[in-house]
Amino acid sequence: MHVTGARPNFPKAAPVIAALERHPLRQLLVHTGQHYGDRMSEVFFRELGLPAPDVNLGVGSGTHATQTAAIMVGLEELFVAERPDLVMVYGDVNSTAAAALVAAKMGVALAHVEAGLRSFDWTMPEEINRVVTDRLADLLLVTSADAVAHLGNEGVHPDRIHLVGNPMIDTLMRHLGALDATAAAAQVGVDPSEPYLVATLHRPGNVDDPADVAELVQAVHATADQVRVVVPLHPRGRERLARAGFMDHDRVLVVPPLGYVEFLGLVTGSAAVVTDSGGVQEETTVLGVPCLTLRPNTERPVTITHGTNQLVTRPDLPAAVARVLAEGRRADPDRVPPLWDGHAGPRIAAVVARHLGL
Ligand code: UD1
Ligand code: UDP
């Protein structure tokens, strides 16, 4: 049983589900409903070749406790009814940690895809979700060597840790041929012959507190004085950013969240990306697009050591963008971390099949 629920879960689960189809087992796909609607959920099911969810718990938005509790109650009933042999969870969202707690307390085996990442920043809800999920998981499926080391330091037995690579990159590689920068730019109303940045912003650390929002608006406006900035805006910060005048700059183009192919098409044609997303740091690393991450830390340091990522503060953003625009893209074939090769799904499926004795 795969438990998904939020946007970043979908490109991680798709290649695992596809690879497991080649094994003799029954798969159930659960959508918790943490994210919902066409732009945050349904478009990914259409584009990524995911089967329709067998169950949608429809929990929707809420405080952490409300949302996590609703997911737990729904999953407990479902686990009792379906008695899964293994529950698979993805990433670090509330749906992930909620499923892990229910599985562990019911004695159901748990596999965590993208285990072991650590920002060591306990103000992030994701860090809490990661640590809780990893502590409870039987199979820890890991994207990078640093994550193996973190789990070892936390006392996880090496037999449980499997370095399998990055399934999100499987999805990216599968769709590379469909990414069309010109079409994506036209679709959002950008002239593709002029340089543009793509920005995604949704972390509480950037969009929740009015003082942070004010600083963010100033940073992005000073950036937009240099170059057009296209922002497919996550619903989380929309109202606060609008109230703070984020949209009041003629080179800041705010559009609704985009589908996967359209979003990554736009990214491939961009001069650089500004983001606080986890997944986007990884995708830009593989695509070779410079990435400026507006965060004080990252749980994905390989995107800095191998890839195109750098951490920047909000006040430093305009100068960092100026530098990146002057440098252009680096042609560096070594930038892709080991095992980010498009074959993580089959490796995960092999570990799961072995675990289930298939
Ligand atoms: C969640 C994850 C975060 C991940 C992000 C990916 C947690 C704690 N956080 O953050 O790690 O990076 O998803 O996108 O799980 N909303 C909508 N429509 C939706 C979903 C959300 O309008 O489909 C709005 C609601 O006002 C909601 C707010 O966004 O209250 C936040 O949604 P939530 O799922 O709680 O967290 P995200 O910020 O999306
Ligand atoms: N993404 C998308 N459309 C958008 C913004 C992001 O398809 O408008 C994709 C992106 O390519 C990546 C995933 O959503 O595959 C990452 O999700 P998000 O940034 O919401 O979550 P995070 O990775 O930060 O948890």
Side-chain angles (χ1 to χ4, degrees):
M1 183 181 286
H2 306 271
V3 178
T4 63
R7 177 167 71 182
N9 293 158
F10 308 132
K12 294 168 194 173
V16 177
I17 293 171
L20 281 169
E21 266 160 23
R22 289 190 282 277
H23 294 268
L25 48 77
R26 174 170 167 245
Q27 301 191 68
L28 281 178
L29 176 56
V30 180
H31 190 321
T32 64
Q34 176 173 350
H35 287 176
Y36 43 88
D38 191 69
R39 296 291 87 197
M40 293 300 287
S41 172
E42 287 151 30
V43 64
F44 301 100
F45 285 79
R46 285 199 301 278
E47 288 189 343
L48 302 184
L50 278 162
D54 296 285
V55 177
N56 191 325
L57 300 176
V59 299
S61 303
T63 64
H64 283 277
T66 311
Q67 186 176 64
T68 306
I71 298 168
M72 288 180 68
V73 171
L75 287 179
E76 190 175 54
E77 276 175 30
L78 195 63
F79 291 3
V80 167
E82 295 289 347
R83 311 188 67 75
D85 295 300
L86 179 72
V87 167
M88 299 202 67
V89 293
Y90 299 85
D92 54 19
V93 300
N94 283 349
S95 300
T96 310
L101 279 165
V102 177
K105 291 200 174 180
M106 291 181 68
V108 176
L110 177 70
H112 183 203
V113 174
E114 202 185 88
L117 298 185
R118 296 290 180 267
S119 67
F120 302 101
D121 178 350
W122 287 92
T123 67
M124 295 181 71
E126 294 83 2
E127 185 72 357
I128 300 166
N129 291 339
R130 288 180 202 117
V131 170
V132 167
T133 305
D134 286 340
R135 188 66 187 81
L136 300 174
D138 300 283
L139 292 179
L140 296 111
L141 301 152
V142 174
T143 53
S144 56
D146 55 303
V148 176
H150 296 323
L151 293 171
N153 292 340
E154 291 172 16
V156 179
H157 195 281
D159 288 355
R160 293 176 152 189
I161 305 171
H162 303 271
L163 179 57
V164 290
N166 193 335
M168 195 147 195
I169 302 307
D170 290 23
T171 297
L172 176 61
M173 290 188 172
R174 184 168 166 222
H175 289 87
L176 274 183
L179 304 185
D180 183 339
T182 311
Q187 227 157 335
V188 297
V190 167
D191 177 354
S193 65
E194 282 178 27
Y196 64 88
L197 307 184
V198 175
T200 80
L201 300 160
H202 71 270
R203 291 283 163 206
N206 280 323
V207 304
D208 279 12
D209 179 76
D212 294 330
V213 171
E215 197 177 69
L216 179 66
V217 170
Q218 210 174 11
V220 174
H221 283 190
T223 300
D225 290 341
Q226 308 169 53
V227 60
R228 179 174 279 289
V229 185
V230 186
V231 191
L233 191 56
H234 187 289
R236 181 181 192 97
R238 173 170 273 278
E239 267 178 38
R240 273 181 294 263
L241 283 164
R243 256 187 274 125
F246 186 64
M247 288 76 165
D248 305 339
H249 189 296
D250 59 4
R251 285 211 287 200
V252 173
L253 177 63
V254 172
V255 297
L258 301 175
Y260 183 83
V261 171
E262 198 179 3
F263 176 73
L264 285 164
L266 200 64
V267 167
T268 55
S270 70
V273 167
V274 175
T275 195
D276 54 17
S277 158
V280 174
Q281 295 172 56
E282 298 182 342
E283 291 159 339
T284 47
T285 274
V286 173
L287 292 170
V289 175
C291 181
L292 299 171
T293 296
L294 272 179
R295 284 179 43 189
N297 50 56
T298 179
E299 62 289 331
R300 293 164 161 87
V302 289
T303 62
I304 298 175
T305 53
H306 291 65
T308 58
N309 193 17
Q310 41 183 307
L311 302 181
V312 292
T313 63
R314 290 181 292 256
D316 287 343
L317 180 67
V321 167
R323 267 197 314 275
V324 161
L325 291 178
E327 280 168 12
R329 291 191 187 187
R330 283 183 300 147
D332 179 1
D334 293 333
R335 66 169 184 260
V336 178
L339 300 178
W340 291 23
D341 58 0
H343 303 294
R347 283 186 212 108
I348 293 170
V351 173
V352 166
R354 232 181 6 255
H355 183 82
L356 293 173
L358 301 176

